[in-house]
Amino acid sequence: MKRILFGLLAFLFLMVSANFVLEYWLEYKVKNLLNSDADRKYDLLFEEVKIDLLSRKIALNTIRLIPREQQLGIRVNGSVHEILFSDVRYWDLLLKNQVSIGELYLREPSFRLVRQDSTFGGKDNSKAFQELFGDLIKRGRIEDFKLSNGTAELFLGQQDSLFRFGQFTDLNIQATGLKTDSLILTNPVPFEVEQITSSFKNFKLYLTENQTFSIENFEFDYSSKTLLMEGLSLSHSIPLQQVAQKDSFQRDVMTFDLKQFKVAELDANSNLYGNWTIIAGVAILDSLVFRDLRDKNIPRKPNDEKPMFAAMLKKLPLPLKINQVTLSRATIFYDEIGQGESQPARLSFENLTAEIQNLVSIDSLQDEGSMKMKVFSDFLGKGRLEADFVIPFDQPYFNLDLKLGQMDLVHLNAITRPLGNIQIESGRLHELKLQMRAQESGSENKVWFDYSDLSLQVLNGARNNRKNGFLTLMAGLAISKENRVEHKNYQKAQFNSQRNPYRGPFNFIWENTKTGMEEIVPSKAARFLQGK
């Protein structure tokens, strides 16, 4: 009996000793193998290794990520609360001297990206994280990769003088079916995968001292081929007029808020983490509020030529090819401060919806086709506006058919008073139509302006916008009170116009609309005096 008991105790002692030796050996093996690749870009430094032989798990605690090349233009370092290896194949460690596991799990990592050169852009930032994840996964045969509750801070400058230019929280990545011998640079983990999802929240990018770009929530799902961004915004911490006045030359100062941007039917050639390319079937933008301010008191930049629509597409910072784009429940405000004025006049396009077909900004994918766009909106919140655009990719021209429905012309005073010293006393718009066949240097135009009961006053801007009696009298004699389509003397305008190359296409549209109205509104007497 004593021999049996002694044998059991000896067996237990041997088992415990073997377990201790095996754990010690595994700990030694893991420490050496994880930092054994001579081509690795990062060292993994950790304080503790916990091995659970029965569950086939190895846990590293309190880990630091240290870049080996300190002089890189962009580098990432940081810490990880825990790295967990699950379903560890011990025989591969013993016989093949290789880390072979079912899942690599990074729990609560905290990253710190430092960009030493300001010429690097956002694409380089995401590529740096992609290379970090790839560097960790290549240290063994890993089937699945998981990361949860990650955070990051983005800095610019040298180590002794850093400026934080961005941050995000709640980074989560789940990748299954990894094939580390097949690189796929369009994934957040740069390998071929069976399935991958990724998300983060509270992304902020500080573009300037006063300008911030934000995304509240970002989600990507490989299997459903969808991308979702929520709470996008471009904002300034000071009023837009102050932003404009900081510049030496006149420019558009813009902000926007977008509730949701969803992309479906993503093509495999899309790249969301390296070169940022979106190729997809459908994109939906919901509840956009866009604001644009221009101060005409600031001098224009000399010889600054503006492109037409096709050239504007090619200048988009994000390469795109989307078959159909839908914009719904949008609002656009354009504020302009006229010369000598201090307060802006506002154009607003409310309840705006748009359907865009064949949105392409990638040269190699722009064949001889064209982009088509249909826009519907409430102009100044009053008149229904419809516009159809056709924009060929291979030629610098566009076609436009625009129609503005019924509205009270008095609502135009918000524009005509500050910008033209004209106050409309009464008037009813029944329909305004513009047809443009625009080339790079000019346009063929037709304007139809159906209105009635038009009466206006000319104001004296130098005398606090008080009525100028003489000019108002002359204006009353010079204009036609009505121009109805059912009348025999109905007037419409047909003319050619030259494009100012230093103004954009929207200014060209406005100038042609205004010219057509100015040709229609004068009375017979005024036309006789003008020789028309």
Short mmCIF file of all heavy atoms in Angstrom, two decimals, residues 92-132:
data_model
loop_
_atom_site.label_atom_id
_atom_site.label_comp_id
_atom_site.label_asym_id
_atom_site.label_seq_id
_atom_site.Cartn_x
_atom_site.Cartn_y
_atom_site.Cartn_z
N ASP A 92 3.91 22.32 -32.83
CA ASP A 92 4.60 23.19 -33.78
C ASP A 92 5.73 23.96 -33.12
O ASP A 92 6.79 24.19 -33.71
CB ASP A 92 3.62 24.17 -34.42
CG ASP A 92 2.71 23.50 -35.44
OD1 ASP A 92 3.00 22.36 -35.81
OD2 ASP A 92 1.73 24.13 -35.88
N LEU A 93 5.51 24.34 -31.85
CA LEU A 93 6.58 24.99 -31.12
C LEU A 93 7.75 24.04 -30.88
O LEU A 93 8.92 24.42 -31.00
CB LEU A 93 6.06 25.49 -29.76
CG LEU A 93 5.33 26.83 -29.72
CD1 LEU A 93 4.73 27.07 -28.34
CD2 LEU A 93 6.26 27.96 -30.08
N LEU A 94 7.41 22.80 -30.57
CA LEU A 94 8.44 21.82 -30.24
C LEU A 94 9.17 21.33 -31.48
O LEU A 94 10.41 21.27 -31.51
CB LEU A 94 7.81 20.63 -29.50
CG LEU A 94 8.74 19.49 -29.10
CD1 LEU A 94 9.78 19.98 -28.10
CD2 LEU A 94 7.94 18.32 -28.52
N LEU A 95 8.42 20.95 -32.53
CA LEU A 95 9.01 20.30 -33.68
C LEU A 95 9.39 21.27 -34.80
O LEU A 95 10.37 21.03 -35.52
CB LEU A 95 8.05 19.24 -34.23
CG LEU A 95 7.66 18.12 -33.24
CD1 LEU A 95 6.65 17.18 -33.88
CD2 LEU A 95 8.89 17.36 -32.77
N LYS A 96 8.60 22.35 -34.99
CA LYS A 96 8.84 23.26 -36.11
C LYS A 96 9.43 24.60 -35.70
O LYS A 96 9.71 25.45 -36.54
CB LYS A 96 7.53 23.50 -36.88
CG LYS A 96 6.93 22.23 -37.47
CD LYS A 96 5.65 22.56 -38.22
CE LYS A 96 5.00 21.32 -38.81
NZ LYS A 96 3.73 21.65 -39.52
N ASN A 97 9.56 24.78 -34.38
CA ASN A 97 10.09 26.04 -33.86
C ASN A 97 9.29 27.24 -34.41
O ASN A 97 9.84 28.23 -34.85
CB ASN A 97 11.57 26.18 -34.23
CG ASN A 97 12.29 27.18 -33.34
OD1 ASN A 97 11.98 27.27 -32.15
ND2 ASN A 97 13.24 27.91 -33.90
N GLN A 98 7.96 27.11 -34.36
CA GLN A 98 7.06 28.09 -34.97
C GLN A 98 5.86 28.35 -34.07
O GLN A 98 5.31 27.41 -33.48
CB GLN A 98 6.59 27.56 -36.33
CG GLN A 98 5.66 28.50 -37.08
CD GLN A 98 5.15 27.87 -38.36
OE1 GLN A 98 4.46 26.86 -38.34
NE2 GLN A 98 5.52 28.46 -39.50
N VAL A 99 5.47 29.63 -33.97
CA VAL A 99 4.25 30.00 -33.24
C VAL A 99 3.07 29.73 -34.15
O VAL A 99 2.91 30.38 -35.19
CB VAL A 99 4.28 31.47 -32.81
CG1 VAL A 99 2.96 31.84 -32.13
CG2 VAL A 99 5.44 31.75 -31.87
N SER A 100 2.25 28.76 -33.79
CA SER A 100 1.08 28.39 -34.59
C SER A 100 -0.14 28.40 -33.68
O SER A 100 -0.23 27.60 -32.74
CB SER A 100 1.29 27.00 -35.21
OG SER A 100 0.18 26.64 -36.00
N ILE A 101 -1.09 29.32 -33.94
CA ILE A 101 -2.23 29.50 -33.04
C ILE A 101 -3.52 29.70 -33.83
O ILE A 101 -3.49 30.02 -35.02
CB ILE A 101 -2.02 30.71 -32.10
CG1 ILE A 101 -1.88 32.00 -32.91
CG2 ILE A 101 -0.80 30.50 -31.21
CD1 ILE A 101 -1.79 33.25 -32.07
N GLY A 102 -4.62 29.50 -33.12
CA GLY A 102 -5.93 29.73 -33.74
C GLY A 102 -6.30 31.20 -33.80
O GLY A 102 -6.84 31.68 -34.79
N GLU A 103 -6.00 31.95 -32.70
CA GLU A 103 -6.38 33.37 -32.66
C GLU A 103 -5.36 34.20 -31.91
O GLU A 103 -4.87 33.81 -30.85
CB GLU A 103 -7.75 33.52 -31.98
CG GLU A 103 -8.24 34.98 -31.93
CD GLU A 103 -9.56 35.14 -31.19
OE1 GLU A 103 -9.54 35.13 -29.94
OE2 GLU A 103 -10.59 35.25 -31.87
N LEU A 104 -5.05 35.36 -32.48
CA LEU A 104 -4.24 36.38 -31.82
C LEU A 104 -5.17 37.52 -31.42
O LEU A 104 -5.85 38.11 -32.26
CB LEU A 104 -3.16 36.89 -32.78
CG LEU A 104 -2.37 38.13 -32.34
CD1 LEU A 104 -1.59 37.86 -31.06
CD2 LEU A 104 -1.43 38.61 -33.45
N TYR A 105 -5.23 37.81 -30.10
CA TYR A 105 -6.19 38.77 -29.58
C TYR A 105 -5.45 39.89 -28.84
O TYR A 105 -4.76 39.63 -27.85
CB TYR A 105 -7.17 38.05 -28.66
CG TYR A 105 -8.19 38.93 -27.95
CD1 TYR A 105 -8.57 40.17 -28.47
CD2 TYR A 105 -8.79 38.52 -26.77
CE1 TYR A 105 -9.49 40.96 -27.84
CE2 TYR A 105 -9.74 39.30 -26.12
CZ TYR A 105 -10.08 40.52 -26.65
OH TYR A 105 -11.00 41.32 -26.02
N LEU A 106 -5.59 41.13 -29.34
CA LEU A 106 -5.04 42.31 -28.67
C LEU A 106 -6.16 43.00 -27.91
O LEU A 106 -7.12 43.48 -28.52
CB LEU A 106 -4.43 43.28 -29.68
CG LEU A 106 -3.01 43.02 -30.19
CD1 LEU A 106 -2.92 41.71 -30.96
CD2 LEU A 106 -2.53 44.18 -31.06
N ARG A 107 -6.03 43.04 -26.60
CA ARG A 107 -7.08 43.64 -25.77
C ARG A 107 -6.61 44.99 -25.22
O ARG A 107 -5.56 45.09 -24.61
CB ARG A 107 -7.46 42.71 -24.61
CG ARG A 107 -8.67 43.18 -23.80
CD ARG A 107 -9.25 42.04 -22.98
NE ARG A 107 -8.35 41.64 -21.92
CZ ARG A 107 -8.34 42.18 -20.69
NH1 ARG A 107 -9.19 43.15 -20.39
NH2 ARG A 107 -7.51 41.75 -19.77
N GLU A 108 -7.41 46.01 -25.51
CA GLU A 108 -7.19 47.38 -25.03
C GLU A 108 -5.81 47.92 -25.40
O GLU A 108 -5.04 48.35 -24.54
CB GLU A 108 -7.41 47.45 -23.52
CG GLU A 108 -8.82 47.11 -23.09
CD GLU A 108 -9.01 47.18 -21.58
OE1 GLU A 108 -8.16 47.79 -20.91
OE2 GLU A 108 -10.01 46.64 -21.10
N PRO A 109 -5.49 47.92 -26.68
CA PRO A 109 -4.23 48.56 -27.09
C PRO A 109 -4.37 50.08 -27.10
O PRO A 109 -5.45 50.63 -27.34
CB PRO A 109 -4.00 48.01 -28.49
CG PRO A 109 -5.38 47.76 -29.01
CD PRO A 109 -6.21 47.33 -27.83
N SER A 110 -3.27 50.75 -26.85
CA SER A 110 -3.22 52.21 -26.91
C SER A 110 -2.05 52.59 -27.81
O SER A 110 -0.89 52.32 -27.48
CB SER A 110 -3.03 52.80 -25.51
OG SER A 110 -2.92 54.20 -25.56
N PHE A 111 -2.38 53.20 -28.96
CA PHE A 111 -1.35 53.50 -29.96
C PHE A 111 -1.01 54.99 -29.95
O PHE A 111 -1.84 55.84 -29.63
CB PHE A 111 -1.83 53.11 -31.36
CG PHE A 111 -2.18 51.66 -31.49
CD1 PHE A 111 -3.50 51.26 -31.69
CD2 PHE A 111 -1.20 50.68 -31.40
CE1 PHE A 111 -3.82 49.92 -31.83
CE2 PHE A 111 -1.52 49.33 -31.54
CZ PHE A 111 -2.83 48.96 -31.74
N ARG A 112 0.21 55.26 -30.37
CA ARG A 112 0.69 56.64 -30.47
C ARG A 112 1.45 56.75 -31.79
O ARG A 112 2.54 56.20 -31.95
CB ARG A 112 1.61 56.95 -29.29
CG ARG A 112 2.24 58.33 -29.28
CD ARG A 112 3.23 58.38 -28.12
NE ARG A 112 4.00 59.61 -28.09
CZ ARG A 112 3.74 60.65 -27.31
NH1 ARG A 112 2.71 60.60 -26.50
NH2 ARG A 112 4.51 61.72 -27.33
N LEU A 113 0.85 57.44 -32.76
CA LEU A 113 1.47 57.64 -34.07
C LEU A 113 2.17 58.99 -34.08
O LEU A 113 1.57 60.01 -33.72
CB LEU A 113 0.44 57.55 -35.18
CG LEU A 113 0.94 57.74 -36.61
CD1 LEU A 113 0.15 56.84 -37.57
CD2 LEU A 113 0.83 59.19 -37.08
N VAL A 114 3.44 58.99 -34.50
CA VAL A 114 4.21 60.23 -34.59
C VAL A 114 4.66 60.42 -36.03
O VAL A 114 5.34 59.56 -36.60
CB VAL A 114 5.43 60.21 -33.65
CG1 VAL A 114 6.23 61.51 -33.81
CG2 VAL A 114 5.00 60.02 -32.21
N ARG A 115 4.25 61.53 -36.62
CA ARG A 115 4.60 61.89 -37.98
C ARG A 115 5.63 63.01 -37.92
O ARG A 115 5.34 64.11 -37.45
CB ARG A 115 3.33 62.38 -38.70
CG ARG A 115 3.19 61.93 -40.11
CD ARG A 115 1.84 62.34 -40.65
NE ARG A 115 1.75 63.77 -40.94
CZ ARG A 115 0.63 64.38 -41.28
NH1 ARG A 115 -0.48 63.71 -41.35
NH2 ARG A 115 0.61 65.65 -41.54
N GLN A 116 6.83 62.74 -38.39
CA GLN A 116 7.89 63.74 -38.28
C GLN A 116 7.84 64.75 -39.41
O GLN A 116 8.33 65.87 -39.26
CB GLN A 116 9.26 63.04 -38.27
CG GLN A 116 9.45 62.14 -37.06
CD GLN A 116 10.82 61.49 -37.04
OE1 GLN A 116 11.68 61.83 -37.84
NE2 GLN A 116 11.01 60.55 -36.13
N ASP A 117 7.24 64.39 -40.52
CA ASP A 117 7.23 65.25 -41.71
C ASP A 117 5.79 65.62 -42.03
O ASP A 117 4.94 64.75 -42.23
CB ASP A 117 7.86 64.51 -42.89
CG ASP A 117 8.08 65.42 -44.09
OD1 ASP A 117 7.47 66.50 -44.13
OD2 ASP A 117 8.84 65.03 -44.99
N SER A 118 5.49 66.91 -42.10
CA SER A 118 4.11 67.37 -42.35
C SER A 118 3.66 67.08 -43.78
O SER A 118 2.47 67.20 -44.08
CB SER A 118 3.99 68.87 -42.09
OG SER A 118 4.85 69.60 -42.94
N THR A 119 4.59 66.68 -44.68
CA THR A 119 4.19 66.37 -46.05
C THR A 119 3.47 65.04 -46.14
O THR A 119 2.79 64.75 -47.12
CB THR A 119 5.41 66.35 -46.99
OG1 THR A 119 6.33 65.34 -46.54
CG2 THR A 119 6.10 67.69 -47.00
N PHE A 120 3.60 64.17 -45.13
CA PHE A 120 2.85 62.93 -45.12
C PHE A 120 1.38 63.25 -44.91
O PHE A 120 1.02 64.19 -44.20
CB PHE A 120 3.34 62.00 -44.01
CG PHE A 120 4.67 61.35 -44.29
CD1 PHE A 120 5.85 61.94 -43.88
CD2 PHE A 120 4.73 60.14 -44.97
CE1 PHE A 120 7.07 61.35 -44.14
CE2 PHE A 120 5.94 59.54 -45.24
CZ PHE A 120 7.12 60.15 -44.83
N GLY A 121 0.51 62.44 -45.53
CA GLY A 121 -0.93 62.70 -45.43
C GLY A 121 -1.67 61.61 -44.70
O GLY A 121 -1.10 60.70 -44.10
N GLY A 122 -3.03 61.71 -44.73
CA GLY A 122 -3.87 60.76 -44.03
C GLY A 122 -3.69 59.34 -44.52
O GLY A 122 -3.80 58.38 -43.75
N LYS A 123 -3.39 59.17 -45.83
CA LYS A 123 -3.18 57.83 -46.36
C LYS A 123 -1.99 57.16 -45.69
O LYS A 123 -2.00 55.97 -45.42
CB LYS A 123 -2.97 57.90 -47.88
CG LYS A 123 -4.14 58.51 -48.64
CD LYS A 123 -3.82 58.66 -50.11
CE LYS A 123 -4.97 59.32 -50.86
NZ LYS A 123 -4.67 59.49 -52.29
N ASP A 124 -0.94 57.95 -45.42
CA ASP A 124 0.24 57.40 -44.78
C ASP A 124 -0.06 57.00 -43.34
O ASP A 124 0.51 56.04 -42.82
CB ASP A 124 1.37 58.43 -44.81
CG ASP A 124 1.71 58.86 -46.23
OD1 ASP A 124 2.29 58.06 -46.96
OD2 ASP A 124 1.37 60.00 -46.58
N ASN A 125 -0.97 57.74 -42.66
CA ASN A 125 -1.32 57.40 -41.29
C ASN A 125 -1.97 56.03 -41.22
O ASN A 125 -1.60 55.19 -40.40
CB ASN A 125 -2.28 58.45 -40.72
CG ASN A 125 -1.66 59.83 -40.69
OD1 ASN A 125 -0.44 59.98 -40.64
ND2 ASN A 125 -2.50 60.85 -40.73
N SER A 126 -2.99 55.78 -42.05
CA SER A 126 -3.67 54.50 -42.01
C SER A 126 -2.76 53.37 -42.48
O SER A 126 -2.83 52.25 -41.97
CB SER A 126 -4.95 54.50 -42.84
OG SER A 126 -4.91 55.36 -43.89
N LYS A 127 -1.86 53.65 -43.41
CA LYS A 127 -0.93 52.63 -43.86
C LYS A 127 0.03 52.24 -42.75
O LYS A 127 0.43 51.07 -42.65
CB LYS A 127 -0.15 53.15 -45.07
CG LYS A 127 0.72 52.10 -45.73
CD LYS A 127 1.40 52.64 -46.98
CE LYS A 127 2.28 51.58 -47.63
NZ LYS A 127 2.97 52.11 -48.84
N ALA A 128 0.40 53.19 -41.88
CA ALA A 128 1.30 52.88 -40.76
C ALA A 128 0.65 51.89 -39.80
O ALA A 128 1.31 50.94 -39.33
CB ALA A 128 1.67 54.17 -40.03
N PHE A 129 -0.65 52.06 -39.50
CA PHE A 129 -1.34 51.10 -38.64
C PHE A 129 -1.47 49.75 -39.33
O PHE A 129 -1.32 48.69 -38.70
CB PHE A 129 -2.73 51.63 -38.26
CG PHE A 129 -2.70 52.71 -37.22
CD1 PHE A 129 -2.97 54.03 -37.55
CD2 PHE A 129 -2.41 52.40 -35.90
CE1 PHE A 129 -2.94 55.02 -36.59
CE2 PHE A 129 -2.38 53.39 -34.93
CZ PHE A 129 -2.65 54.71 -35.28
N GLN A 130 -1.74 49.78 -40.61
CA GLN A 130 -1.86 48.54 -41.37
C GLN A 130 -0.55 47.75 -41.32
O GLN A 130 -0.54 46.53 -41.12
CB GLN A 130 -2.23 48.88 -42.82
CG GLN A 130 -2.56 47.69 -43.70
CD GLN A 130 -2.73 48.14 -45.14
OE1 GLN A 130 -1.88 48.83 -45.70
NE2 GLN A 130 -3.83 47.74 -45.76
N GLU A 131 0.57 48.43 -41.48
CA GLU A 131 1.86 47.76 -41.43
C GLU A 131 2.16 47.22 -40.03
O GLU A 131 2.78 46.16 -39.89
CB GLU A 131 2.96 48.73 -41.87
CG GLU A 131 2.93 49.05 -43.36
CD GLU A 131 4.01 50.03 -43.75
OE1 GLU A 131 4.63 50.63 -42.84
OE2 GLU A 131 4.25 50.20 -44.97
N LEU A 132 1.73 47.93 -39.00
CA LEU A 132 1.91 47.44 -37.62
C LEU A 132 1.17 46.13 -37.41
O LEU A 132 1.75 45.16 -36.89
CB LEU A 132 1.43 48.49 -36.63
CG LEU A 132 1.29 48.02 -35.17
CD1 LEU A 132 2.65 47.61 -34.61
CD2 LEU A 132 0.67 49.11 -34.31
#
